[in-house]
Every structure is written in C-alpha cells, then in structure tokens.
Amino acid sequence: MSTKVKGTIKSISDIITVTDKFSKVEMVIETSEDYPQTLMTEWPNDSASIPKNFSVGDVVEAAVNIRGRAWTSPSGDVKYFTSLSGWTCDLISPASGKTNSVKVDSNGRAKSSDDDDDLPF
C-alpha cells in the first residue's frame, strides 16, 4: 500500500547496516496538520541514498509504502510491526538559509530545479 507523507524533516540518520544484504537510513518527518504526527520513515538498500539529498528543516513530500509483518518471539508471543518504507522524495520548501532546490527520482538521483528539461542548451 502506498501513500504520501508531507512535513518537516526532524532528523536523518547515518546508514544503519542490519545484515550484509539489508541497510537503511531513517528519516523522521513531522506533519503540519492540526494534530502533527512524528513519523519515522525507513529508506532501505537502494533508496538509502535519497535522504542524504535533504537537510533537517526541509519541508518534503515523501512517497512511502506501508509495510507490516508479524514476528513470533522465542517464547511464542506474536508481535506486529508496521513501517513506512520510502522510495521517492520531493523538496517542497528548503530549510531557512538553504537556496538549492532538490528533486530526487526513484533511483536516488538528485536533479536541480534547473535540470527539469532535456534541452541541450
């Protein structure tokens, strides 16, 4: 299931290596609605480079997949987990004092706002 999260970046972690095949970056986004929500988004593997194109204080709109899973503990207790897995992010408004506009595609490549066309001149 996919949705979009719009808000202000509160923190961006360094790369977290979970296993040899799985690493992620965690980016916390606080929404700006009547009852703001503080949401931790995970940017796994190939998407881990995307949050590094942004700064704390930037207002962004992130496309995320809502993922859930069950886990059974060694004692037999079942626990359920939900995560927001990011895959693309757009800059809505830069943090104070920041002048560059960044748009990032689903491959983690940053484009400046001047690169929006394909004209060679």
Side-chain angles (χ1 to χ4, degrees):
M1 180 182 347
S2 185
T3 191
K4 292 192 176 187
V5 174
K6 183 178 176 182
T8 303
I9 297 174
K10 294 300 179 184
S11 69
I12 302 171
S13 75
D14 290 328
I15 293 179
I16 300 164
T17 302
V18 179
T19 68
D20 355 336
K21 295 182 181 183
F22 182 72
S23 60
K24 65 181 179 176
V25 169
E26 296 177 344
M27 182 166 69
V28 176
I29 300 173
E30 184 176 85
T31 64
S32 58
E33 49 205 10
D34 288 342
Y35 298 98
Q37 301 297 307
T38 304
L39 306 170
M40 196 279 293
T41 60
E42 297 179 337
W43 300 79
N45 296 329
D46 293 341
S47 298
S49 63
I50 294 174
K52 297 302 177 185
N53 293 299
F54 301 97
S55 302
V56 170
D58 286 349
V59 176
V60 296
E61 183 174 71
V64 298
N65 290 324
I66 301 171
R67 301 191 183 252
R69 67 180 182 89
W71 174 75
T72 304
S73 72
S75 64
D77 295 329
V78 178
K79 299 194 183 242
Y80 298 93
F81 297 92
T82 304
S83 63
L84 301 176
S85 182
W87 53 275
T88 188
C89 193
D90 294 323
L91 180 68
I92 303 299
S93 174
S96 305
K98 187 174 167 190
T99 58
N100 293 0
S101 176
V102 178
K103 186 170 180 108
V104 180
D105 67 17
S106 60
N107 294 317
R109 293 181 295 239
K111 280 176 75 173
S112 85
S113 58
D114 298 334
D115 293 339
D116 284 342
D117 61 42
D118 292 330
L119 297 175
F121 50 90

